[in-house]
Amino acid sequence: AQTVTQSQPEMSVQEAETVTLSCTYDTSENNYYLFWYKQPPSRQMILVIRQEAYKQQNATENRFSVNFQKAAKSFSLKISDSQLGDTAMYFCAFMKPLSGGYQKVTFGTGTKLQVIP
Amino acid sequence: DGGITQSPKYLFRKEGQNVTLSCEQNLNHDAMYWYRQDPGQGLRLIYYSQIVNDFQKGDIAEGYSVSREKKESFPLTVTSAQKNPTAFYLCASTGGAGGRIANQPQHFGDGTRLSIL
């Protein structure tokens, strides 16, 4: 079974600064995907960024980028130029595609990020 | 705009009562999922459905039931057998071109908060 660990329950960052959220996972699989989801106070889960395990290049989406270390099973999220709207819970997720089109997703326990003005 | 609609936003259950949470999607997605979210925990899978008239138990299915009579709809019933139903419930769906949904990220609704009266 896969496990996803987010060791930072809460973090804070000054507006316009950079912050890194950590995530480690445990798996024996080779074919998988990793995601970061954002859950603002409105509670809707929003996809932030996605990484395919077979790709060595780290994914980037505007101010969001990841540091994917496959051998170390680490998948951290870097938020540059933090904005007040980045205040949210951030969940790391591991996804394994299965036969028949099904996917098994394992979520971490989340990191609560507060952006301070 | 396409998306997932969950209703109601807030729901209260009396002792011994069954309640049903609605989830409707107009994304033409084949797969749908129900998750439960508790404070300090990640999302846990209750049930999932890959196609109409088919669904499978997730990790915490006891005390819950689902149906999938239409592609667009995947209602979740919290039965009286679920002794600790107070939680935030999220519905999600996945779809992809040519049926390749297994490697696609999940899209989420806004959630339903269920409490006991």
Side-chain angles (χ1 to χ4, degrees):
Chain A
Q2 282 71 232
T3 59
V4 177
T5 302
Q6 293 180 249
S7 58
Q8 306 149 315
E10 293 189 30
M11 294 189 72
S12 62
V13 62
Q14 289 290 138
E15 194 175 5
E17 297 293 309
T18 295
V19 64
T20 298
L21 281 58
S22 67
C23 172
T24 58
Y25 58 94
D26 186 22
T27 186
S28 57
E29 303 290 336
N30 232 348
N31 178 30
Y32 56 89
Y33 297 77
L34 295 162
F35 304 93
W36 278 98
Y37 282 92
K38 167 185 176 181
Q39 188 179 43
S42 65
R43 303 308 296 270
Q44 185 181 19
M45 293 281 281
I46 302 165
L47 178 66
V48 175
I49 199 164
R50 157 191 173 151
Q51 175 80 43
E52 293 86 348
Y54 61 85
K55 288 187 178 178
Q56 292 187 335
Q57 187 172 7
N58 289 325
T60 62
E61 280 291 336
N62 301 314
R63 298 183 294 107
F64 299 88
S65 61
V66 299
N67 183 4
F68 174 48
Q69 302 288 328
K70 189 172 184 179
K73 297 178 183 174
S74 170
F75 182 59
S76 61
L77 174 70
K78 185 170 86 170
I79 305 175
S80 305
D81 185 26
S82 296
Q83 300 175 359
L84 296 178
D86 295 334
T87 292
M89 279 288 281
Y90 287 82
F91 290 94
C92 178
F94 173 101
M95 186 185 82
K96 173 181 162 55
L98 300 174
S99 60
Y102 173 58
Q103 53 182 223
K104 172 67 175 172
V105 182
T106 303
F107 290 86
T109 53
T111 295
K112 185 176 182 180
L113 177 67
Q114 180 76 40
V115 179
I116 302 167
Chain B
D1 286 339
I4 301 174
T5 301
Q6 288 188 242
S7 62
K9 197 175 177 75
Y10 300 95
L11 187 58
F12 298 91
R13 195 192 87 168
K14 295 180 182 178
E15 290 287 340
Q17 186 183 40
N18 293 352
V19 292
T20 297
L21 285 60
S22 170
C23 177
E24 303 277 334
Q25 54 100 357
N26 60 4
L27 299 166
N28 199 32
H29 284 174
D30 286 307
M32 297 186 74
Y33 310 81
W34 272 106
Y35 290 94
R36 171 178 170 141
Q37 186 178 18
D38 293 282
Q41 299 193 38
L43 278 64
R44 293 184 290 167
L45 182 65
I46 304 173
Y47 267 98
Y48 66 95
S49 168
Q50 291 175 255
I51 56 172
V52 175
N53 292 323
D54 182 68
F55 48 83
Q56 305 294 329
K57 292 182 179 181
D59 301 319
I60 55 166
E62 186 175 348
Y64 300 96
S65 66
V66 293
S67 63
R68 187 86 187 276
E69 296 177 3
K70 299 187 299 181
K71 186 175 182 178
E72 303 79 20
S73 178
F74 191 40
L76 173 74
T77 296
V78 184
T79 74
S80 57
Q82 172 52 245
K83 297 306 178 188
N84 183 23
T86 297
F88 189 65
Y89 291 86
L90 283 161
C91 179
S93 70
T94 304
R100 292 184 58 192
I101 65 175
N103 60 356
Q104 298 301 311
Q106 295 183 0
H107 298 260
F108 286 84
D110 289 347
T112 293
R113 177 162 296 284
L114 175 62
S115 304
I116 290 192
L117 279 177

